[in-house]
Amino acid sequence: MENKQKWYNRYIVGYLLILFPPLGLYGVYKSEIIPSKWKKATYAALAFAIIGGLIIYSL
């Protein structure tokens, strides 16, 4: 029986982060091959973008 690789353990996660961020973030969260430091960096970039957007919008 062939062992299929999950979608979130492939390169598609990077494309999803750009094209459809909610699904891409879920893929980063579920991925078993992305190191935790890159997961934290991705979440930090998201938080920075949201906070920056809120600050710019409030001006």
Side-chain angles (χ1 to χ4, degrees):
M1 192 156 125
E2 187 176 317
N3 196 6
K4 291 186 78 173
Q5 192 176 24
K6 300 286 186 179
W7 68 268
Y8 49 77
N9 284 332
R10 294 184 292 183
Y11 64 90
I12 192 78
V13 174
Y15 292 124
L16 287 173
L17 277 171
I18 296 168
L19 299 174
F20 193 64
L23 191 58
L25 285 171
Y26 178 73
V28 169
Y29 171 74
K30 292 287 288 183
S31 180
E32 299 162 352
I33 59 172
I34 298 175
S36 66
K37 70 175 183 176
W38 287 109
K39 289 181 182 184
K40 290 177 185 176
T42 302
Y43 298 137
L46 174 69
F48 182 72
I50 290 172
I51 292 170
L54 288 174
I55 291 172
I56 289 173
Y57 182 73
S58 67
L59 294 176

